[in-house]
Amino acid sequence: MNLSQWLLALLILLPVLNASRRRHGHRVPKVVHIEASELRIVDGDTIKAGGQRIRLFGIDAPEMDQTCWDKRKREWPCGVRAKDFLVDFIQDKKLACEVEDVDRYKRLVATCRTEEGSDIAEALVKAGLAVPYTRYTKRYQEHAEDARESNQGIWSGGFEVPEQHRKKKRNKRPKKDDF
């Protein structure tokens, strides 16, 4: 391929490459670096930095109001526990988040790693404090199986899948026609 053919190929591919970095009309950065001082934990699968919410890719953690049950059928606040685990796990650490997408709520959806290279979503799944979102990736499936087999976190008793919990809450809200 000569130089003019390379330039022509580049001119054709450049808009395609640029468009692939846009989601829902927003320009998506490839990697977001977050200083520990900028970081706030929203819940077990969402962080916030500089006003931007970042949803952890590939997992779903219990909601903040969600409870789970241990073997003796005692309730425990699994949503709060997932958030607390995340706070402890990334406390005072810098993060690098590789952006996968932007969701309908305009959150960046990303795989985030600590400065040591630990995938924080993977750590939540291994601790039994999040389930894999298998419709998006199978990346964390094996870790969830290990957590289930060793009765970690939510797998130590009973729980409602977070997505189902949210759906039930939405269905319980009064509708406009109810008034």
Side-chain angles (χ1 to χ4, degrees):
M1 204 181 245
N2 65 31
L3 181 60
S4 62
Q5 289 172 318
W6 273 106
L7 288 173
L8 181 60
L10 184 61
L11 286 172
I12 292 169
L13 287 175
L14 196 56
V16 173
L17 294 171
N18 194 32
S20 71
R21 295 197 54 217
R22 291 188 175 273
R23 299 284 194 265
H24 302 285
H26 300 284
R27 184 138 178 88
V28 179
K30 192 158 185 96
V31 177
V32 177
H33 295 279
I34 305 168
E35 295 293 323
S37 61
E38 301 171 346
L39 188 61
R40 187 171 82 73
I41 310 304
V42 176
D43 59 26
D45 54 26
T46 308
I47 60 177
K48 190 172 184 178
Q52 177 65 58
R53 285 180 178 246
I54 301 170
R55 176 74 157 77
L56 298 178
F57 174 75
I59 67 165
D60 199 11
E63 297 299 308
M64 288 298 293
D65 66 343
Q66 193 170 344
T67 56
C68 296
W69 303 271
D70 65 15
K71 289 182 219 174
R72 295 182 182 157
K73 308 277 188 236
R74 294 178 299 195
E75 283 189 82
W76 59 280
C78 51
V80 172
R81 185 93 38 92
K83 178 183 178 181
D84 291 346
F85 175 89
L86 194 53
V87 168
D88 291 342
F89 190 77
I90 62 178
Q91 185 175 19
D92 300 326
K93 293 182 179 145
K94 295 178 188 176
L95 297 181
C97 298
E98 185 177 344
V99 179
E100 310 273 352
D101 201 355
V102 175
D103 70 10
R104 64 183 173 177
Y105 304 110
K106 297 183 176 126
R107 297 177 297 189
L108 300 179
V109 179
T111 299
C112 296
R113 297 181 184 282
T114 63
E115 54 198 329
E116 298 86 17
S118 299
D119 179 338
I120 61 178
E122 180 181 304
L124 280 155
V125 173
K126 283 180 172 181
L129 294 170
V131 294
Y133 239 148
T134 54
R135 96 176 77 166
Y136 300 111
T137 184
K138 306 282 188 234
R139 183 185 305 171
Y140 304 111
Q141 187 70 34
E142 190 174 316
H143 301 301
E145 296 293 328
D146 292 343
R148 184 176 55 80
E149 287 173 13
S150 59
N151 297 314
Q152 295 293 313
I154 58 179
W155 302 104
S156 66
F159 69 96
E160 182 173 40
V161 174
E163 186 174 26
Q164 293 302 315
H165 179 78
R166 289 190 298 276
K167 189 175 181 178
K168 276 186 180 177
K169 278 176 49 176
R170 272 194 308 272
N171 291 338
K172 285 184 180 178
R173 289 186 194 149
K175 296 174 180 48
K176 276 191 339 188
D177 298 338
D178 294 341
F179 297 103

